Amino acid sequence: MKTAGYLAEIMEELSQTVQQIPESEAEELVNQITASKKVFVTGAGRSGFMGKSFAMRMMHMGIDAYVVGETVTANLEPGDLLIIGSGSGETKTLVAIAEKAKHFGGKVAAVTISPESTIGQMADIVIPLPGMTKDQSAGSHSSIQPMGTLFEQTMLLFYDALILRFMEKKGLDSDKMYGKHANLE
């Protein structure tokens, strides 16, 4: 198969996964982001990269958003929100971060393949996404792509859809957001 053929397969897989995202949980997450003073995002590996892109867009919308582990990350306080992207929901470093967030009175949202996982059970909001974990041991959606790629792609698109929903609720457009875009580059 040629590259364009693979791309068509990937797009087909993504069109199937996005239809399975529960709207009520997504709306609950948008509402919690709106209600939180600060929003923290974390994930390991490629899931972490997807979270970083989400934190950047939240910042463009004027949300006080941080990536866990970065040097400029603020402290989590009661009522703040931590969003964890983890296919398995069992990554030990992310479990520890979730435990700390709960200890400090934060809310936890899990974006995961495995709602029954340790992180899923700790979370106040669980967004189940289709896909396979990186070791292909868990998940509801097979893929031609390696490891957790389908989950990671679906997560990025889900985060971008949350941004659009938030923009709609707050009456924002791209011009208003551009004013918060980095200008020292």
Side-chain angles (χ1 to χ4, degrees):
M1 185 181 305
K2 294 187 179 185
T3 302
Y6 283 121
L7 179 56
E9 289 283 326
I10 290 168
M11 297 302 291
E12 178 61 29
E13 287 183 358
L14 287 168
S15 72
Q16 293 173 16
T17 62
V18 297
Q19 295 174 26
Q20 298 175 37
I21 298 171
E23 189 61 44
S24 60
E25 284 87 344
E27 191 67 14
E28 184 180 358
L29 182 54
V30 169
N31 291 336
Q32 187 59 57
I33 290 168
T34 303
S36 298
K37 183 177 176 190
K38 293 180 287 201
V39 178
F40 298 82
V41 179
T42 193
R46 285 172 49 114
S47 295
F49 290 134
M50 305 309 159
K52 284 182 177 186
S53 68
F54 183 45
M56 176 188 279
R57 282 292 182 248
M58 286 192 288
M59 180 273 300
H60 291 151
M61 293 188 308
I63 296 170
D64 201 4
Y66 300 93
V67 176
V68 174
E70 297 291 329
T71 56
V72 294
T73 300
N75 63 322
L76 185 137
E77 298 174 306
D80 290 343
L81 175 63
L82 170 66
I83 301 171
I84 301 174
S86 174
S88 70
E90 298 295 345
T91 306
K92 298 215 180 301
T93 53
L94 300 178
V95 169
I97 291 168
E99 289 171 343
K100 273 187 146 181
K102 296 298 277 186
H103 172 77
F104 288 116
K107 302 252 189 219
V108 173
V111 179
T112 184
I113 294 168
S114 310
E116 70 290 343
S117 65
T118 302
I119 293 171
Q121 291 180 14
M122 274 194 283
D124 301 286
I125 302 169
V126 178
I127 309 293
L129 296 184
M132 294 295 288
T133 56
K134 64 184 170 215
D135 64 2
Q136 303 279 306
S137 66
S140 62
H141 204 88
S142 63
S143 174
I144 65 165
Q145 301 179 77
M147 301 184 286
T149 302
L150 180 61
F151 167 72
E152 296 147 2
Q153 292 166 337
T154 303
M155 185 179 358
L156 178 63
L157 294 176
F158 171 70
Y159 286 156
D160 283 344
L162 288 176
I163 295 299
L164 290 171
R165 179 66 179 123
F166 188 88
M167 289 173 65
E168 176 185 39
K169 288 182 81 155
K170 293 296 184 181
L172 296 172
D173 60 25
S174 189
D175 290 337
K176 291 176 186 170
M177 290 172 59
Y178 186 73
K180 294 191 179 291
H181 194 277
N183 60 4
L184 295 177
E185 298 172 334

